[in-house]
Amino acid sequence: MALIELRGVDFSYSEMETPVLKNINLTVEAGEFVSIIGGNGSGKSTLAKLLNVLLVPSAGEVIVDGMNTADEENWLKIRQKVGMVFQNPDNQLVATRVEDDVAFGPENLGIPSPEIRKRVDKALEAVGMEKFKDNPPHNLSGGQKQRVAIAGVIAMEPECIVLDEPTAMLDPQGRKEVMETIHFLNKEKGITIIHITHFMEETVGADRVIVMNQGSIHKSGLPLEIFREIDDLKKLGLDVPLVVELAHELRKKGVEIPAILSINELVDSLCS
Amino acid sequence: MLRNITIGQYMARDSIIHNMDPRIKIVITIMMITALFFIDSFSGYGLFFLSVLVIISLSRIPLLRIIKGLRPVLFLVMLTLILHVFFTRGGEVIWQWGFISIEAEGLYTGFFMVTRIVLLIIFTSLLTLTTSPLELTDGIEYLLSPLKRVGVPASELAMMMTIALRFIPTLLEEADKIMKAQMARGADFESGNIVKRARNLIPLLVPLFISAFRRADDLALAMESRCYHGGEGRTRLYELKVKGTDFAALGVALLLCMVFIYF
Amino acid sequence: MLIELKNVSHIYDDDLKGTEALKDINLRISDQEFIGLVGHTGSGKSTLVQMLNGLIKPSSGSVIIDGVNITGEKTSLLGIRRKIGLVFQYPEHQLFEETVYGDVAFGPRNLGLSEEEVELRVKEALELVGLDYEEFKDRSPFNLSGGQQRKVAIAGVLAMKPEVLILDEPSAGLDPQGRQQLISLLEYLYNNKGMTIILVSHRMEEIARLSNRVIVMSEGEIVFDDSPARVFSEVEKIRELGLDLPEITEILWRLNGKGLRVRTDIFSLAEAVEEISRELRGSSKC
């Protein structure tokens, strides 16, 4: 059974307005790393909120681990299974101390104190922030704050984490930290990752890339397949990684290069 | 600029006083402050001061830090002293010049009141110096929880306090940034009369409020996504436990209060 | 206009450890320069740019702008702020007026200009950033898209008619189109308006392509101050500082390391394509 399934989902914020999402059909299997990309207003953030029952579809249904999000009784269970990390690192940390923030989710779930202790320590270790457990969050760097936010979700022992543009407000160092962390969680801890971003180069390690445009799924496939059609992506207002564009231009000049995604691959294919 | 304001002057130390249960500390503070108002002699103050000194030495907080903490209220203290010395009448006339005079009663009351204020401030600041804001909130939450039955949302209030404490530094930093950005556009926050100054604050306050609302919105979503559903059924990472030392301290405090009230 | 920093050091008042945010900085910035300022978060670059605008006074040393030592007690900072415009990161967060017009006019009004002059400047500034004056002047800035808000905020600084424009991460969070518009604006201001531009950015491609001088800061000190080609040829040192190279530079260096003799001082995609394909044809691969 699929972990998450969207069937014919429409969403609009009010009846008057044009729908933000139109007939979305999507299945995510347990253990997958799915990247969702799209320009501003493509509906990707709205999609994220549907998975965590922060929004409920106007039509169609969202099924998480067999539970329908339309049923209010399932909400807490679904939110525990599918955790969410947001864009602004400052606006999602609740407590005045790192470990208390990580404990916030488990506390809400009513987990006994000694068990919370264990989970908090484990979660902080998984994101490499155990040294900062007594710090106040506002003294941390952007990347560190996001890692604490991720730890806060992990402490709820979810099966899936949805990250809504987690690196958009970070510097290159912070972006690297967050990307490494989520790939680590996917590979080593088997957590399903749904990563929403507008940086196309961040989708490189994903199992599957979904391109959103104007509320619909424009296409979906392996990163290599998606990157092949550069002009199409540019039309959607997306940033194509420079190395992919360079390879594309070289091909036009008659240089034979296979499909590549990274600098390493380009250099190897040119100088093998 | 604004970043220099420090709110919550908690000093982390490993001491008996720091490790006490916050609820007991709050209760003792309330008891002692109340008792302070029953003291009617300087010898009583002497005893009170002695107990304060014992607590300070146990807490390992440098005395200098506590004295420094008194600086902001220096004005209030001086004002109280001056008002009493010059305006309270009675007793022997000690000094007179025209219609201004200092009388014994005024001098006595003045110093009496000042001592009371200073002791009051030292004692309450000992609470905040040795108890982290987090523990303080927890303590207040537990102490208020009996009131839940009459509809006081104790855990929600405590949650609000925690969030306020969490966001004060963030908002101060933001205010500092906005202020600088407007100053770079020639805004002037430092001159003019009160009306003009208040008007000049608009370019700072409007963006600050907008940002605070945006943050509140984001935070509400984030909390919801982390399964927050009010205080019901919530457990805590740190559960408060009353220890032997807490009972002992409470006993000593009770005894002291009786002494202050009856003698 | 000449900006000069002499032996400037700075320690923040609230920094209990007393770490120097700036250490003995000496720097001259002349007319018609396009400077890229790069460094890690916390390298001292924000302190430096705020100092150029008189928002922070150095703990020691002097900042001389247009012959005036602004560290002196009596200097008019308003005069300095008119000459040197500063666009902070996410400048749209400082919008506060009910109309776009009012917000852009805030700076010029603070300069005490006549209302006719203010209107002229608002018009000009909005047109520079590519917003139609008639269409936008009466709209509320809060109902605009993020990209448009950013433009209004930048117009608010341009309306002061500064001679030097400093921008801190102006393209952060913009989509490719918005970023391209911003780059064109900076190029226009530099080439046609004769402004000196100081661009603080993590996007090394932008820095390499636009600027004619790159200043690299680390731990409060200036590590490099040279042409982009020379700075980005210090590959090892740049990596050591934990900074990225422009992606093109990175690719060309790697190819070079594998024996493909391509030039490494190229920063535009088209030129890089030319160079690589030419070199590949000359020798049979590497």
Side-chain angles (χ1 to χ4, degrees):
Chain A
M1 187 180 65
L3 181 62
I4 294 174
E5 203 175 347
L6 279 75
R7 295 186 199 132
V9 167
D10 287 355
F11 183 83
S12 45
Y13 282 95
S14 73
E15 279 177 29
M16 325 287 231
E17 282 168 53
T18 45
V20 187
L21 292 176
K22 281 166 284 190
N23 192 27
I24 302 282
N25 290 291
L26 175 67
T27 311
V28 178
E29 302 292 336
E32 255 194 307
F33 192 121
V34 179
S35 283
I36 301 180
I37 53 170
N40 293 335
S42 60
K44 58 190 193 304
S45 276
T46 307
L47 179 63
K49 292 195 180 95
L50 286 170
L51 306 178
N52 187 261
V53 223
L54 292 174
L55 297 173
V56 179
S58 319
E61 49 193 14
V62 179
I63 310 288
V64 176
D65 204 16
M67 294 177 281
N68 192 325
T69 64
D71 188 351
E72 203 172 328
E73 271 178 27
N74 295 332
W75 287 5
L76 283 186
K77 272 187 234 152
I78 292 173
R79 287 186 186 139
Q80 181 268 317
K81 275 208 181 341
V82 180
M84 181 124 174
V85 174
F86 298 84
Q87 188 186 94
N88 190 321
D90 269 313
N91 298 356
Q92 53 187 320
L93 301 181
V94 190
T96 46
R97 201 166 48 171
V98 164
E99 64 170 9
D100 288 296
D101 189 83
V102 177
F104 180 73
E107 288 177 344
N108 290 331
L109 295 173
I111 287 159
S113 170
E115 168 72 12
I116 299 182
R117 176 80 262 161
K118 271 188 234 155
R119 286 190 179 196
V120 168
D121 292 341
K122 240 168 71 185
L124 282 172
E125 205 194 309
V127 299
M129 287 294 291
E130 62 273 32
K131 280 197 199 114
F132 297 88
K133 72 184 178 68
D134 290 324
N135 285 42
H138 72 266
N139 287 344
L140 303 176
S141 73
Q144 290 172 332
K145 283 179 198 163
Q146 284 302 53
R147 278 150 66 200
V148 171
I150 294 171
V153 171
I154 298 174
M156 297 171 75
E157 303 196 333
E159 286 176 38
C160 172
I161 305 180
V162 180
L163 303 102
D164 186 6
E165 302 203 48
T167 62
M169 298 182 75
L170 305 182
D171 62 7
Q173 172 67 28
R175 282 177 62 185
K176 237 174 268 169
E177 287 172 21
V178 169
M179 289 313 296
E180 279 168 13
T181 305
I182 60 179
H183 277 288
F184 169 81
L185 292 175
N186 179 251
K187 286 209 181 64
E188 305 299 324
K189 309 270 166 185
I191 297 175
T192 311
I193 300 282
I194 299 178
H195 172 225
I196 290 160
T197 179
H198 70 261
F199 294 113
M200 199 162 337
E201 65 263 34
E202 289 183 351
T203 66
V204 164
D207 296 324
R208 185 152 57 111
V209 179
I210 291 165
V211 185
M212 301 268 307
N213 185 38
Q214 296 186 338
S216 307
I217 293 181
H218 181 71
K219 60 171 81 168
S220 110
L222 295 170
L224 269 179
E225 294 166 2
I226 299 295
F227 283 117
R228 207 169 283 152
E229 285 154 75
I230 288 185
D231 298 326
D232 181 45
L233 295 172
K234 278 189 162 177
K235 242 180 266 158
L236 302 182
L238 292 169
D239 248 331
V240 179
L242 198 126
V243 60
V244 175
E245 202 169 349
L246 181 73
H248 184 68
E249 294 299 320
L250 283 172
R251 264 179 229 123
K252 282 190 196 162
K253 289 261 173 192
V255 181
E256 277 174 43
I257 307 176
I260 56 110
L261 291 173
S262 66
I263 294 180
N264 280 339
E265 288 172 355
L266 175 79
V267 172
D268 286 346
S269 74
L270 284 177
C271 300
S272 46
Chain B
M1 261 179 279
L2 282 167
R3 272 197 298 180
N4 299 344
I5 303 170
T6 46
I7 291 184
Q9 41 179 355
Y10 171 65
M11 275 185 95
R13 288 280 187 284
D14 188 21
S15 81
I16 298 187
I17 306 292
H18 281 77
N19 291 334
M20 272 174 67
D21 187 293
R23 290 169 293 184
I24 301 293
K25 279 198 267 189
I26 295 171
V27 169
I28 291 180
T29 306
I30 294 171
M31 276 167 44
M32 290 293 277
I33 298 295
T34 319
L36 184 62
F37 284 89
F38 284 92
I39 297 177
D40 52 8
S41 69
F42 274 104
S43 53
Y45 282 150
L47 183 60
F48 195 97
F49 187 62
L50 204 69
S51 57
V52 167
L53 280 182
V54 170
I55 298 174
I56 293 175
S57 67
L58 283 176
S59 72
R60 300 195 195 168
I61 302 265
L63 199 62
L64 195 69
R65 173 75 182 242
I66 291 166
I67 295 166
K68 268 188 188 166
L70 285 171
R71 242 183 342 199
V73 291
L74 199 64
F75 173 75
L76 182 72
V77 170
M78 292 314 288
L79 189 74
T80 314
L81 187 64
I82 289 167
L83 285 179
H84 278 292
V85 167
F86 286 102
F87 295 107
T88 304
R89 297 274 173 258
E92 190 186 332
V93 176
I94 294 168
W95 180 82
Q96 189 158 28
W97 185 75
F99 58 91
I100 304 170
S101 67
I102 297 178
E103 294 167 24
E105 191 71 16
L107 211 58
Y108 182 84
T109 326
F111 278 102
F112 195 82
M113 295 309 282
V114 164
T115 315
R116 183 180 283 175
I117 295 175
V118 169
L119 286 175
L120 179 93
I121 290 161
I122 292 181
F123 206 90
T124 29
S125 72
L126 271 175
L127 176 67
T128 51
L129 276 165
T130 63
T131 320
S132 73
L134 204 81
E135 286 179 297
L136 216 51
T137 337
D138 277 356
I140 293 172
E141 179 181 351
Y142 278 93
L143 290 174
L144 286 181
S145 58
L147 297 177
K148 274 182 192 166
R149 271 184 226 146
V150 292
V152 176
S155 10
E156 284 76 10
L157 284 174
M159 194 74 222
M160 279 161 64
M161 269 176 69
T162 308
I163 291 171
L165 286 168
R166 153 76 185 82
F167 278 91
I168 284 168
T170 308
L171 287 173
L172 282 178
E173 214 169 276
E174 177 136 42
D176 191 56
K177 209 192 106 183
I178 297 171
M179 211 159 151
K180 279 182 173 163
Q182 306 299 28
M183 278 161 74
R185 291 205 281 165
D188 181 3
F189 293 107
E190 273 142 16
S191 59
N193 59 29
I194 289 185
V195 180
K196 189 161 176 283
R197 274 195 199 202
R199 277 219 354 233
N200 288 354
L201 281 179
I202 293 172
L204 167 65
L205 293 180
V206 173
L208 195 61
F209 274 114
I210 290 173
S211 144
F213 282 121
R214 190 176 45 229
R215 286 182 194 281
D217 240 19
D218 283 3
L219 187 70
L221 264 190
M223 285 171 69
E224 206 179 325
S225 85
R226 287 166 76 182
C227 293
Y228 184 71
H229 53 282
E232 215 187 298
R234 236 173 98 75
T235 48
R236 306 308 299 268
L237 170 60
Y238 290 108
E239 273 165 354
L240 297 178
K241 277 199 193 78
V242 185
K243 299 173 290 285
T245 43
D246 293 314
F247 284 120
L250 196 61
V252 173
L254 261 171
L255 213 69
L256 274 172
C257 288
M258 305 246 276
V259 171
F260 292 139
I261 292 170
Y262 293 107
F263 295 95
Chain C
M1 191 171 67
L2 185 73
I3 302 175
E4 216 177 346
L5 272 70
K6 285 184 188 159
N7 309 105
V8 166
S9 295
H10 189 72
I11 300 173
Y12 281 101
D13 293 339
D14 55 355
D15 191 335
L16 301 172
K17 281 181 235 137
T19 11
E20 286 178 291
L22 293 177
K23 288 179 207 161
D24 197 26
I25 300 281
N26 287 288
L27 185 65
R28 286 166 72 92
I29 297 169
S30 335
D31 281 337
Q32 272 284 36
E33 289 201 78
F34 199 127
I35 297 177
L37 181 57
V38 299
H40 249 296
T41 313
S43 61
K45 54 189 183 3
S46 352
T47 310
L48 181 68
V49 296
Q50 289 180 36
M51 204 163 270
L52 298 178
N53 190 275
L55 286 169
I56 296 178
K57 290 202 172 183
S59 308
S60 67
S62 45
V63 179
I64 298 158
I65 292 172
D66 217 5
V68 182
N69 187 340
I70 70 162
T71 30
E73 281 300 311
K74 282 189 207 130
T75 40
S76 146
L77 287 173
L78 195 60
I80 302 303
R81 286 171 191 157
R82 187 189 63 74
K83 285 179 194 156
I84 299 179
L86 178 51
V87 178
F88 277 83
Q89 196 171 5
Y90 300 111
E92 60 275 22
H93 290 176
Q94 76 212 27
L95 298 173
F96 71 100
E97 274 281 7
E98 287 163 42
T99 63
V100 167
Y101 182 95
D103 214 286
V104 179
F106 180 67
R109 280 182 183 146
N110 285 331
L111 295 177
L113 300 170
S114 69
E115 206 43 44
E116 296 93 76
E117 174 69 13
V118 170
E119 191 182 334
L120 226 62
R121 287 190 172 203
V122 173
K123 239 181 214 167
E124 199 184 337
L126 282 176
E127 262 146 40
L128 273 175
V129 298
L131 294 177
D132 183 70
Y133 175 73
E134 289 302 326
E135 189 191 335
F136 283 94
K137 70 180 169 74
D138 296 323
R139 290 178 63 178
S140 160
F142 303 109
N143 291 334
L144 304 178
S145 75
Q148 289 169 332
Q149 286 187 349
R150 173 92 39 109
K151 286 177 179 172
V152 172
I154 293 175
V157 175
L158 290 176
M160 311 265 293
K161 291 211 170 164
E163 294 167 43
V164 176
L165 184 65
I166 309 173
L167 306 100
D168 189 358
E169 295 287 347
S171 65
L174 293 180
D175 58 11
Q177 197 198 351
R179 219 162 43 229
Q180 192 46 52
Q181 288 171 347
L182 181 86
I183 287 172
S184 310
L185 172 66
L186 296 185
E187 282 177 323
Y188 180 82
L189 294 173
Y190 173 66
N191 292 323
N192 302 52
K193 295 271 165 182
M195 276 190 197
T196 290
I197 309 262
I198 302 176
L199 175 65
V200 180
S201 177
H202 289 299
R203 301 186 74 93
M204 297 299 173
E205 312 75 81
E206 271 173 25
I207 296 277
R209 252 181 62 203
L210 292 167
S211 52
N212 50 30
R213 175 177 172 192
V214 176
I215 297 175
V216 181
M217 292 196 65
S218 176
E219 292 175 8
E221 287 175 283
I222 294 178
V223 190
F224 293 113
D225 180 355
D226 215 325
S227 69
R230 286 219 202 94
V231 169
F232 290 121
S233 66
E234 299 282 345
V235 178
E236 290 307 317
K237 186 75 188 163
I238 296 277
R239 285 195 190 128
E240 221 172 274
L241 293 173
L243 296 170
D244 292 323
L245 286 170
E247 228 177 317
I248 293 190
T249 314
E250 179 82 39
I251 294 167
L252 295 172
W253 271 100
R254 295 264 199 99
L255 289 173
N256 227 298
K258 292 264 186 174
L260 189 70
R261 300 259 158 258
V262 283
R263 278 169 52 200
T264 51
D265 56 349
I266 293 171
F267 300 115
S268 90
L269 181 71
E271 280 180 75
V273 171
E274 278 306 318
E275 177 71 14
I276 295 172
S277 56
R278 191 179 53 78
E279 203 53 46
L280 281 174
R281 235 167 267 144
S283 59
S284 58
K285 289 219 166 177
C286 324

